Amino acid sequence: MTASTESYVTLPVDTTDDPGTIAATVAAMAACSAAFDVVTGDRRIRYRPEEDLLADALALAAVRDAYPDNPSVPRLLRDARLMYHQRMLDDQADRRHPGIVDPERKRANRTEELLLEAVVLDIVSLQCAADIHSPTECAHLANQLRRLLNLPLLDHFEVRAWLRGAYADWLRNGPHRFECPGGCLGSG
């Protein structure tokens, strides 16, 4: 959030006033989207409705534009963990019996895991503009995914735009889940 340079209106509140009148006055001030201070005794409460609401609205719009299907972050994390555990089981089986696990299956699991983790970080970074770590980690994971797919590496902004397209392609062409809305139970 950016600090506002406008002056704040001070709204002195007498604690002996009617609570309904106080609430109505504060609500009227908030409806004007003006920054103001509420002062009661020795306490001062700074109220900036326009900055908070604007930041929230912009974050929601950015996520909606980037991911129109409105993915569930907990579900994406669960699916990424499942891909990770499947990859670990395949690695363990392949160490015991070399060649038993198809390398393409291991690669597909790793690809899906990286894709889902990067999408989660992209959603988090879109929702919180002050977070500087999530976009960087998202770009790093997306470039790892591009490296796995034998594609050239991109800068942070380009790779995040590519990631959104890759996620949309994965949704259209990816594997069906057990709880598939079409009722295929994962068979496709």
Side-chain angles (χ1 to χ4, degrees), residues 37-59:
D37 290 344
V38 176
V39 178
T40 58
D42 60 345
R43 292 188 62 201
R44 178 179 295 267
I45 302 168
R46 181 148 286 177
Y47 187 74
R48 295 184 306 247
E50 74 286 349
E51 291 176 6
D52 296 336
L53 294 176
L54 181 61
D56 290 346
L58 289 175

Side-chain angles (χ1 to χ4, degrees), residues 6 10 23 38 50-51 57 65-66 70 73 78-79 82 108 115 125 128 132 141 152 173 178:
E6 66 183 311
T10 300
V38 176
E50 74 286 349
E51 291 176 6
D65 289 345
N70 193 23
V73 170
R78 181 200 70 187
D79 289 348
L82 288 173
L115 176 72
S125 66
C128 183
I132 60 171
L141 288 177
N173 307 322
F178 182 76

Side-chain angles (χ1 to χ4, degrees), residues 131-148:
D131 182 4
I132 60 171
H133 301 291
S134 295
T136 304
E137 187 62 24
C138 171
H140 176 72
L141 288 177
N143 271 323
Q144 277 186 351
L145 177 61
R146 287 183 62 84
R147 189 178 301 120
L148 189 64

Side-chain angles (χ1 to χ4, degrees), residues 22-35:
I22 295 171
T25 306
V26 171
M29 295 283 289
C32 295
S33 293

